[in-house]
Amino acid sequence: MSGVRVAVVTGSNKGIGLAIVRGLCQQFQGDVYLTARNPKLGEEAVKTLNNEGLSPLFHQLDINDPASIRSLRDFLKEKYCGLDVLINNAGIAFKVADTTPFGTQAEVTLKTNFFGTRDVSHELLPLIKPNGRVINISTMLAHSALAKCSPEIQEKFRSDSITEDELVKLMEKFVEDAKNGVHQERGWPNTAYGVSEIGIIVLSKIQARQLKETRKGEGIILNACCPGWVRTDMAGPKAPKSPDEGAVTPVYLALLPTGVDSPHGELVSEKKVVPW
């Protein structure tokens, strides 16, 4: 089935992820995979879209489980000889009122949001076909978190030459400082979610740079994207946007026409590039 185009959305059994799958089913010419850690919840989400007249497919994916990521990788290789659209949407956030110690929140949040997304990218980015599209879902909260970092840390995160190894060390240092209760005096903001999302945006910039070097001329475009404040389990019921409204920019980036070369390596919100 190497001629059939294929899109994968991580963490897509509910919320923005489910809305992105819905949008792709309506507009993308090819197979669309809804993924979830829990197969039962994934299959239920597929049925919800089936009832709307849409036909997503399902594959199990736990971005914290390397074997699960490799299983999806091997499936895509065997069935489609690659991947056309990857939307890294899976993520978690502790509620503001959660009493879990901050060090634990930092470790758990970064394990999924940053390191899990990075692990998926390591396995699936090499499968991206020419003219493929990759979108890493982040948030504008990363901007406010960055502003609360020390000038020294901000400079590192804004560097055009930061490497993935250097970024990983920064993420690990935040977790270590958070567990030791010294993160704020060491120049970090008091938000594990915010730091994890800074990591996603900077990782996106690094990945886009690498694609330009290693896959030059293949037309692959990769961006980070902020869907906005959306009514989901994570963001709560007071948010102004519906999940379908939140899916507009990610779907727009996934469907950028062949031949365009920008935006690439940017943070995009409301279909516009946001300065970092």
Side-chain angles (χ1 to χ4, degrees):
M1 290 184 65
S2 60
V4 177
R5 299 180 73 225
V6 60
V8 168
V9 186
T10 73
S12 50
N13 60 289
K14 62 180 181 178
I16 295 168
L18 181 62
I20 292 170
V21 170
R22 178 184 288 115
L24 288 175
C25 284
Q26 291 165 341
Q27 299 177 61
F28 175 75
Q29 300 297 310
D31 290 348
V32 181
Y33 279 84
L34 183 155
T35 70
R37 194 173 41 191
N38 181 326
K40 182 171 177 286
L41 295 178
E43 297 288 5
E44 284 171 4
V46 165
K47 280 185 189 141
T48 298
L49 295 180
N50 288 160
N51 291 338
E52 297 174 19
L54 304 173
S55 305
L57 299 157
F58 176 72
H59 200 286
Q60 193 274 342
L61 175 66
D62 178 354
I63 72 167
N64 286 330
D65 178 359
S68 172
I69 298 171
R70 287 194 296 269
S71 169
L72 176 59
R73 176 202 67 192
D74 294 345
F75 169 79
L76 291 168
K77 254 188 193 171
E78 190 179 329
K79 185 161 185 180
Y80 297 96
C81 302
L83 178 59
D84 296 281
V85 172
L86 171 63
I87 301 185
N88 282 311
N89 169 75
I92 61 162
F94 283 83
K95 301 293 183 194
V96 175
D98 198 300
T99 55
T100 304
F102 187 77
T104 304
Q105 290 194 26
E107 186 169 38
V108 170
T109 303
L110 268 74
K111 181 177 190 289
T112 295
N113 295 6
F114 177 76
F115 289 102
T117 300
R118 176 174 171 261
D119 290 344
V120 170
S121 299
H122 277 188
E123 297 294 354
L124 298 190
L125 278 185
L127 300 190
I128 297 291
K129 296 180 182 181
N131 300 309
R133 303 288 179 255
V134 183
I135 299 96
N136 296 326
I137 303 295
S138 185
T139 168
M140 293 301 282
L141 291 175
H143 255 281
S144 54
L146 183 66
K148 290 173 186 160
C149 291
S150 69
E152 181 193 2
I153 291 174
Q154 284 190 43
E155 189 180 344
K156 288 176 180 173
F157 281 137
R158 286 199 167 108
S159 166
D160 288 334
S161 57
I162 186 173
T163 66
E164 190 171 320
D165 285 346
E166 288 167 342
L167 177 59
V168 165
K169 285 191 174 74
L170 281 168
M171 295 286 113
E172 289 172 342
K173 185 76 170 73
F174 168 69
V175 172
E176 180 190 327
D177 288 345
K179 288 170 93 170
N180 291 331
V182 296
H183 60 286
Q184 286 181 287
E185 63 192 73
R186 295 274 169 86
W188 298 102
N190 199 36
T191 163
Y193 181 66
V195 172
S196 75
E197 298 306 303
I198 290 173
I200 289 297
I201 293 167
V202 178
L203 181 66
S204 301
K205 291 180 174 294
I206 293 167
Q207 290 171 340
R209 212 167 64 219
Q210 289 170 340
L211 283 169
K212 253 187 178 165
E213 293 162 7
T214 61
R215 308 281 302 269
K216 194 171 180 174
E218 292 190 33
I220 299 168
I221 290 182
L222 183 151
N223 290 289
C225 166
C226 168
W229 189 18
V230 176
R231 290 188 294 277
T232 61
D233 289 351
M234 193 190 285
K238 293 179 181 171
K241 279 186 168 186
S242 70
D244 287 333
E245 288 167 332
V248 168
T249 295
V251 170
Y252 157 77
L253 289 170
L255 300 176
L256 283 172
T258 302
V260 305
D261 57 6
S262 66
H264 179 63
E266 303 285 3
L267 171 61
V268 181
S269 177
E270 308 295 345
K271 299 186 184 177
K272 292 185 176 68
V273 170
V274 180
W276 181 237

